[in-house]
């Protein structure tokens, strides 16, 4: 029957908040390490050097809200999903699908995500037979350093 107050302003002002730590020293000012999960996406924020607990409260809520509004985890490639069909020389089928062996995701701003484009690179001639799981090409995601082999 003990009520323990917490100085972490995110815990009682934001749905999904689950931690972590507040602090204050004369040298570094007011600080906060906060964590929240909304729609399966976790954000962790570290603030330090603020001049008051009131500023810590307003800035932490402002920045955590901004982070969830601005950033999102996007799937760039989905495991098993066809990226491109490529022709096969002397194959039973005229082409084979290139797929990623794993899902490749990246957290980025919604604005950056709109500028990402993919370029699929594979040899000019792919000779039959092709075995499932054989490395055939690569995907280059422009605007990001995220290149993956395709099978």
């Amino acid at each position: 029957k003990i009520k323990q107050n917490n100085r972490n302003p995110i815990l009682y002002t934001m749905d999904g908040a689950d931690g972590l730590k507040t602090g204050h020293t004369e040298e570094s000012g007011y600080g906060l390490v906060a964590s929240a999960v909304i729609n399966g996406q976790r954000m962790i924020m570290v603030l330090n050097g603020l001049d008051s607990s009131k500023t810590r409260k307003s800035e932490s809520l402002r920045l955590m809200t901004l982070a969830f509004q601005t950033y999102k985890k996007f799937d760039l490639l989905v495991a098993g999903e066809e990226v491109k069909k490529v022709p096969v020389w002397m194959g039973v089928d005229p082409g084979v699908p290139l797929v990623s062996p794993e899902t490749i995701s990246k957290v980025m701003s919604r604005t950056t995500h709109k500028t990402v484009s993919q370029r699929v690179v594979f040899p000019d001639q792919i000779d039959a037979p092709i075995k499932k799981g054989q490395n055939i090409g690569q995907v280059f995601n422009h605007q990001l350093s995220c290149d993956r082999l395709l099978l």
Side-chain angles (χ1 to χ4, degrees):
K1 299 183 179 183
I2 296 173
K3 182 178 179 181
Q4 179 67 48
N5 292 327
N6 192 302
R7 293 185 181 142
N8 183 341
I10 294 293
L11 287 177
Y12 53 86
T13 57
M14 176 175 268
D15 289 338
D18 56 7
L20 293 168
K21 174 79 174 101
T22 61
H24 173 262
T25 65
E26 288 299 318
E27 289 181 0
S28 67
Y30 289 82
L32 172 69
V33 178
S35 172
V37 178
I38 297 177
N39 296 326
Q41 182 172 320
R42 177 174 298 281
M43 293 286 182
I44 298 172
M45 173 180 60
V46 178
L47 296 174
N48 203 27
L50 301 169
D51 59 6
S52 69
S53 61
K54 185 178 178 180
T55 303
R56 173 173 61 197
K57 179 179 180 178
S58 63
E59 279 300 285
S60 63
L61 185 57
R62 183 184 74 81
L63 291 172
M64 190 66 90
T65 300
L66 180 65
F68 277 109
Q69 290 173 348
T70 305
Y71 294 93
K72 183 181 171 192
K73 181 174 133 182
F74 292 95
D75 290 337
L76 301 174
L77 295 172
V78 177
E81 189 174 284
E82 183 177 313
V83 176
K84 184 174 185 70
K85 190 165 223 137
V86 296
V88 176
W89 176 254
M90 301 294 287
V92 174
D93 292 322
V96 295
L98 296 181
V99 299
S100 177
E102 61 185 324
T103 297
I104 307 300
S105 303
K106 186 168 179 80
V107 174
M108 65 184 95
S109 74
R110 296 169 200 280
T111 305
T112 299
H113 179 256
K114 290 177 184 177
T115 68
V116 174
S117 62
Q118 293 181 337
R119 180 172 55 99
V120 180
V121 178
F122 54 91
D124 291 336
Q125 182 173 322
I126 301 170
D127 297 325
I130 302 293
K131 294 180 183 174
K132 186 175 183 174
Q134 181 177 336
N135 289 340
I136 294 176
Q138 290 182 302
V139 170
F140 294 93
N141 291 291
H142 299 285
Q143 305 296 333
L144 304 171
S145 55
C146 182
D147 305 330
R148 293 292 182 229
L149 290 176
L150 295 172
L151 306 172

